[in-house]
Amino acid sequence: MAGLIRREDIAAVRERARIEEIVGQHVTLRGAGVGSMKGLCPFHDERTPSFHVRPQLGLWHCFGCDEGGDVISFVQKIDHLTFTEAVEHLAGRVGLQLRYEDDGGANRPREQPGRRQRLIEAHRVAAEYFVEQLATPEADMGRAFLAERGFDRTAAATFGVGYAPKGWDNLTRHLRGKHFTEAELTASGLLSQGNRGSYDRFRGRLMWPIRDLSGDVVGFGARKLYEDDPGPKYLNTPETTIYKKSQVLYGIDLAKREIAKSKQVVVVEGYTDVMAMHLAGVPTAVATCGTAFGTDHIRIVRRLLGDTADAAAGVMLATGGARGGEVIFTFDGDAAGQKAALRAFSEDQQFASQTFVAVEPNGMDPCDLRQQRGDAAVRELVGGREPLFEFAIRSVLRQVDLDTAEGRVAGLRAGVPVVARIRDHALRGEYARELAGWLGMDEASVRRDVTRTARNPPPAPSTPGRPGVDGAAGGRGGQGGPVGGRGGQNGRDGYGSSQSGRNGYGGSSSNGQRDSGGQRGQDTSGGYGGSDSGFGASHRDDPVARLERQVLEVVLQLPQFALATSFDDLGADTFVVPAHRAVHDAIRAAGGVRAFGELAGDASARGAGGEANSRAAAAWNEQVREAAIGPVGVLVTELAVAPLPEDRPEALGGYARGVLVALLRLGVTREIADAKGRLQRMDPADEAYAATFGRLLELEERRRSLLTDA
């Protein structure tokens, strides 16, 4: 077993890897108040952003699915990595050489990083090798192929196009010279196994590197060049641990920023089509890699578009653009391309965006169109898009003869089910009217047929219930270890279990990394799970519980303001809500707010901001999370990331002091009530009476001073 990474190196990775940049490669983030950003959660399907990032603390949390953590846990979850692999991946990005505990602190040999990083590195080296080979005499046919399609050397370099030379083991020998093992090359998909041994998977082909959102090469697409090649026209990397064809889009690394900026994505069918689109001035083009555009692709695109519930109804702006952005399918004009467009119809309604189809009437794909008619024609093709619903209906009508009565009836029978599948009621009614016009039939009768079909659709295939949701008992916690436990039956057992039996929180994993494996509970009463974690149904409208939560948010996010109060002097029983009390216990166990002051330097820490404060606050939050027990760590992260009601920088100090003083006053008020109660039960002649009365006077003075501070 490999040694553990040194704790100080893990801390350095957390500090150097900017969480907003790492998350921003997968989620379109927008400002959400002072020091906060938000976007669509990459871990569950949603239309309203509930995923928040607080860069200065290096933390993220989704208030929709209750997932959260730091930059390391985000990479773990998004890329399905172990803790060690995630740290090694981030260390590679920030240029930090890690040290391991079992070798006296010496640098571990490069042959030992996490397996995923080795596969990524193998692909990086292979991509460089293929690019170098494109300049060799053997690659003359490959260069000619590109030139015939209007792509020069600059274009090839922009897209990383290369050439895999003929021969059985050219790439293998090159990679072995870089210290990659045969097992690693086989796992990467670059090496194939046959009856006579291993050999290069790609030989004598033009190569396109396929990159993920972060820009790492995870696979290749290879185009056949020679007649004696018995393989298919296009050959892709097989499914591997880093390459899933249903989850990658060619060109997404180049297009992602423009997609987020222009709120448009153009889906084409091939690698050369992506190149042609980008070079023609449509930099939002992407392509699938040997598979149909599916649900996983939709999730990727929606996050980049920042798709929201406001656009779900397809409301158009006065300018004619869709509020949620545009998804344009640019398929070939032949029968296969039209079939692909119709297949996309079934997926379309998962978008809140407006979805269109752009098909060249003469059957030319974007690459051919650019060659024959120039860049402007490609842009005009995209500009002349038509709504996918309209295209789907017209496509089925083109299959019948509308000049005959029989053909019109056949068109009605074919068109009505398509219209009935439109989920938006307003759009469905509008297209029912359009269908009636295209058929030349009575609008009322067509509407009746559409309504009847929509109410009685063909039965959908049944799907198995999800553990912990459809069943009586909750599922297990995440991969966190023994702390997580089961979600519990009927919401009784486990942390955050609910009446519907959803999963509880997960426990802790190695290297101190905490995973929140389970889903949040529903309608939980005061437990750690549930809507508004630790602020369950019975506390949601409780002003005291709300104040406690606001105080903890301020203390974790703006500890410099808590230093100016006597927060650390609060007693263990100050917080009423059990979950809040557990967070307070973790803060006290981490040394209280004074520990933050020591990290930042007491004098400067009392200021309102600064880089030193941010670093100290991030380090102190990590100490609090480490001190938290079980699911309390998840709540700590949530409170540290939660957006504050006050989002004006100049007013943050006033808000922070206000809620802190309010809690202190509440505590003093409780003590005053207790003191008065004791006095009423005591004999004035008793010696303790005078001491209690003196304490009451002190408390009254303390309350008056707090009123002045407020």
Side-chain angles (χ1 to χ4, degrees), residues 137-154:
E138 184 188 325
D140 180 66
M141 187 170 289
R143 294 193 298 273
F145 176 94
L146 294 172
E148 289 168 3
R149 286 155 180 78
F151 304 127
D152 56 18
R153 291 185 178 182
T154 301

Side-chain angles (χ1 to χ4, degrees), residues 479-511:
Q479 299 176 348
V483 179
R486 294 195 309 128
Q489 186 166 356
N490 294 325
R492 281 195 283 267
D493 303 322
Y495 296 111
S497 56
S498 70
Q499 294 177 2
S500 59
R502 281 202 174 182
N503 302 347
Y505 287 111
S508 301
S509 64
S510 62
N511 274 334

Side-chain angles (χ1 to χ4, degrees), residues 305 386 411 689:
L305 288 173
E386 63 177 311
Y689 185 90

